[in-house]
Amino acid sequence: MFKKLVTIVLVMLMSFLLAGCGGSSGGEEKKSAGGDGTYTIKIGSPVVETHPAHNGFLKFIELVEKNSNGKIKAELHANGVLGGDRELTEAVQMGTVTMTLSSTSPVANFEKSFYLFDLPFLFPDRETAYKVLDGPIGQKLLDNLASQGIKGLGYWENGFRHITNSKRSINKLEDIKGLKLRTMENQLHMAAWKQLGANPTPMAFGEVFTALQQGTVDGQENPLALIDSNKFYEANKYLTLSGHIYTPFVIMMNKKFFDELPQDLQKVVLDAVKEAGQYQRDLMKQQEEKSLKVIKDAGCVVNELPAEEKAKMVEALKPVYDKGAEMMGGRQLIDELMAEVEKVKK
């Protein structure tokens, strides 16, 4: 009995000693995806490989792997194979995916301050949008994501949204009435289209093409590059360049993963997002010109919404600003952004 007791005590002592010796390396393995001092960024992308955002991720991967001297590796899962905007944002929250991008509208379901970007006609042009997004207000919204377990890294270009449909050209406000338009699952977008007399139908992005083909909806609204890369013009023969909402892409990372990176590698990631973002923005400008040509060459009727009709839309949509303020808990952020827009325009 005594020998058995001694044996148990010795085994317990050895276990404690081994745990003490291995504690340091165990902690490193927890922080390092490979257990060898390297970190692997698992990127889930909802966009197709022909979209400039895909090239933005390829540039990001090139930069982080090079500038980290191989300490960061990245793998890209494109074409929405890991889910759409909402599913990927949830996956980043949980850490099953390290990094993703999403249009701002689905992000508002996680952090209400992002409803700001769902307000119509906020920015007169993309250059103004860039200055505001890359300034203090844009950073303020990125920082708000921390409470959701997400590190907001920056903004890439998604673009101004335009309307396509299978029924008619939209030359005046009245032409929108009665159209069954697919929208994102976003309260402000739906409220805006109802205010304009359309019949908004929320639907996951992956279902849109089939719904347009089958006539489940008459039309949809998206930036030109997405209309082109997803071939919506094959089902919708009318495109109206309305530019009614500007929705950037938000680049997001699991906060715990980012926080566990050494400071020098955090800088590598942030610098890569910024540089790849500038590259992607430039690509988007080129792509929009190409996309518009593709859409026209496919036989679509393309028109610009006249300025006077756009002014009518702005007036008609004022109640949506009130709803946005209510959803965000006040008008402060709206007023800050509008003041900043006026400032950077000068």
Side-chain angles (χ1 to χ4, degrees):
M1 181 71 182
F2 178 74
K3 286 184 179 178
K4 188 175 181 181
L5 184 60
V6 170
T7 302
I8 292 170
V9 171
L10 286 171
V11 168
M12 289 176 66
L13 281 171
M14 288 297 292
S15 298
F16 283 126
L17 285 169
L18 287 170
C21 292
S24 172
S25 64
E28 286 302 312
E29 285 185 10
K30 245 182 183 177
K31 287 174 64 179
S32 167
D36 57 357
T38 64
Y39 298 81
T40 299
I41 298 175
K42 181 180 180 182
I43 303 170
S45 171
V47 300
V48 295
E49 293 181 5
T50 53
H51 192 281
H54 180 78
N55 298 88
F57 272 134
L58 294 178
K59 173 61 74 173
F60 170 80
I61 291 170
E62 174 192 327
L63 290 167
V64 291
E65 291 188 347
K66 175 185 173 185
N67 295 335
S68 69
N69 295 316
K71 291 178 183 175
I72 294 177
K73 305 289 183 186
E75 54 187 46
L76 177 57
H77 305 266
N79 301 306
V81 294
L82 298 182
D85 288 12
R86 187 181 184 115
E87 293 87 357
L88 285 168
T89 303
E90 288 173 346
V92 165
Q93 269 188 313
M94 294 184 292
T96 53
V97 170
T98 317
M99 182 177 179
T100 192
L101 63 71
S102 171
S103 175
T104 52
S105 299
V107 177
N109 293 309
F110 298 83
E111 167 47 52
K112 65 182 182 181
S113 58
F114 277 84
Y115 280 120
L116 182 66
F117 296 116
D118 292 309
L119 296 172
F121 301 109
L122 278 180
F123 302 108
D125 51 59
R126 59 163 47 98
E127 286 71 25
T128 300
Y130 293 165
K131 289 175 184 176
V132 174
L133 291 170
D134 297 340
I137 292 178
Q139 187 60 50
K140 184 179 189 177
L141 269 69
L142 292 176
D143 292 343
N144 287 347
L145 289 168
S147 64
Q148 300 299 315
I150 295 169
K151 172 67 178 178
L153 299 173
Y155 301 94
W156 289 1
E157 171 77 335
N158 189 4
F160 285 92
R161 303 180 78 85
H162 307 287
I163 311 165
T164 71
N165 80 94
S166 60
K167 300 293 185 183
R168 54 185 172 266
S169 291
I170 298 171
N171 294 296
K172 55 187 185 298
L173 187 56
E174 288 74 19
D175 293 330
I176 296 172
K177 291 183 178 177
L179 286 178
K180 193 171 185 180
L181 290 178
R182 176 268 172 180
T183 69
M184 287 183 281
E185 298 174 56
N186 181 283
Q187 293 182 55
L188 286 179
H189 281 227
M190 289 187 280
W193 291 114
K194 281 180 184 175
Q195 192 70 25
L196 296 174
N199 181 9
T201 305
M203 184 183 296
F205 186 75
E207 300 170 12
V208 177
F209 184 81
T210 302
L212 293 172
Q213 273 190 322
Q214 295 177 348
T216 308
V217 292
D218 300 322
Q220 61 81 54
E221 44 85 52
N222 261 301
L224 290 174
L226 282 174
I227 294 170
D228 173 17
S229 61
N230 291 276
K231 301 186 186 299
F232 293 152
Y233 56 81
E234 291 183 358
N236 279 179
K237 294 303 178 186
Y238 298 96
L239 165 65
T240 301
L241 299 172
S242 52
H244 50 278
I245 288 177
Y246 179 84
T247 50
F249 282 127
V250 190
I251 310 301
M252 298 174 286
M253 180 172 277
N254 176 265
K255 186 175 183 299
K256 185 174 183 293
F257 180 93
F258 182 85
D259 289 345
E260 288 183 348
L261 289 173
Q263 283 192 355
D264 61 325
L265 295 186
Q266 288 181 357
K267 186 175 186 305
V268 166
V269 168
L270 291 170
D271 288 349
V273 167
K274 186 175 181 180
E275 186 175 339
Q278 186 55 59
Y279 169 77
Q280 189 264 348
R281 284 173 174 177
D282 291 341
L283 283 182
M284 277 294 292
K285 292 176 190 175
Q286 300 167 28
Q287 183 61 50
E288 286 207 341
E289 294 175 9
K290 293 176 184 174
S291 292
L292 187 56
K293 184 176 187 306
V294 168
I295 293 165
K296 285 179 176 177
D297 289 348
C300 283
V301 178
V302 179
N303 72 294
E304 282 205 48
L305 191 67
E308 61 272 18
E309 293 301 318
K310 191 176 284 192
K312 287 182 186 177
M313 284 181 75
V314 172
E315 187 65 28
L317 289 168
K318 280 185 177 178
V320 179
Y321 275 68
D322 295 332
K323 185 174 178 63
E326 181 186 333
M327 291 170 67
M328 287 185 281
R331 289 194 64 94
Q332 182 179 348
L333 199 53
I334 298 173
D335 292 340
E336 282 180 25
L337 183 135
M338 295 181 81
E340 188 68 16
V341 167
E342 290 304 311
K343 179 181 172 184
V344 300
K345 276 166 59 179
K346 294 175 181 176

